[in-house]
Amino acid sequence: IEYDGTAFCGWQRQANALAVQQVIEEALGAVDGAPVVIKGAGRTDTGVHATAQVATCDLIKDWRGDKLRDAVNAHMRPHLVAIRKAEVVADDFDARFSATRRHYLYRIINRRPPLTIDAGKAWLVKRPLDAEAMHEAAQQLHRLDILGEVLSLGRFEDLRDRGKFWRVHDPAEGIETDLSIPQIIMAVDP
């Protein structure tokens, strides 16, 4: 699924605003002849775009993937949402839990003039950027990503409070590091 999130409150259906999920569910319901609920691999916030979101649903009719894609896309006009590919999956496939990776792209454009073509799709920073400091910060984010994996998989052997720092030790991955409380908070609640 691909969408321009500018006009949406995000992925997840909400009572008081238009969401990507709602647009797709209504189009699926129209082509399949019954209400449809979809489950996405993840959620996006207001104004966030996606190029390869994955979702699953159960349908009444048997559909060929390309026919379903085209029918749903026709029903979603004029919304900037498109099903790029549709296919039958195994019954135990779960869009969220079967995902093997997620990829995020954050674009920063460093210049004085305002954005035109990239407006709403990049962050304009007019002041000079410190590339060295940004690189160091990116390394810390990588460490937090590793920590998130360790914590989510429950592989860690030890996560002890050591005053201002937490020590993470994962012998299977060879990870042993001290992280500050703000780093832990960033990892858990970006």
Side-chain angles (χ1 to χ4, degrees):
I1 303 166
E2 178 178 282
Y3 53 88
D4 180 321
T6 304
F8 299 104
C9 66
W11 166 265
Q12 190 170 4
R13 180 184 279 272
Q14 305 207 8
N16 60 349
L18 185 63
V20 176
Q21 181 182 16
Q22 176 184 345
V23 169
I24 298 169
E25 287 176 347
E26 289 175 359
L28 280 166
V31 301
D32 201 46
V36 176
V37 175
I38 61 175
K39 182 177 183 182
R43 298 182 300 214
T44 55
D45 292 329
T46 299
V48 175
H49 318 298
T51 58
Q53 171 68 288
V54 175
T56 55
C57 65
D58 292 318
L59 301 173
I60 295 172
K61 300 175 186 172
D62 287 328
W63 289 89
R64 226 176 64 202
D66 60 333
K67 295 291 186 188
L68 178 63
R69 178 199 62 212
D70 295 345
V72 172
N73 284 339
H75 279 273
M76 291 192 295
R77 289 186 197 125
H79 300 292
L80 297 178
V81 179
I83 305 300
R84 293 177 50 192
K85 183 178 181 181
E87 62 185 78
V88 175
V89 295
D91 288 339
D92 64 346
F93 179 83
D94 182 284
R96 180 174 171 204
F97 296 110
S98 297
T100 57
R101 66 179 179 215
R102 289 176 172 78
H103 178 79
Y104 301 91
L105 175 65
Y106 300 92
R107 296 182 58 225
I108 300 170
I109 297 178
N110 186 216
R111 68 180 196 200
R112 297 264 328 137
L115 299 179
T116 55
I117 293 170
D118 291 314
K121 295 178 176 59
W123 178 27
L124 176 63
V125 178
K126 294 181 179 184
R127 67 183 185 285
L129 296 172
D130 182 340
E132 189 176 318
M134 292 173 68
H135 178 74
E136 178 153 336
Q139 302 314 303
Q140 293 300 316
L141 289 174
H142 178 69
R143 288 178 65 197
L144 293 174
D145 184 46
I146 292 170
L147 171 67
E149 288 181 31
V150 170
L151 295 177
S152 69
L153 296 174
R155 293 188 317 224
F156 60 91
E157 219 177 60
D158 195 4
L159 181 64
R160 286 183 295 215
D161 185 354
R162 295 185 183 250
K164 289 174 35 179
F165 293 89
W166 290 72
R167 166 140 299 188
V168 177
H169 178 68
D170 178 8
E173 296 294 325
I175 298 169
E176 184 162 328
T177 188
D178 288 332
L179 294 173
S180 68
I181 300 304
Q183 287 174 314
I184 297 285
I185 291 168
M186 277 181 52
V188 173
D189 189 19

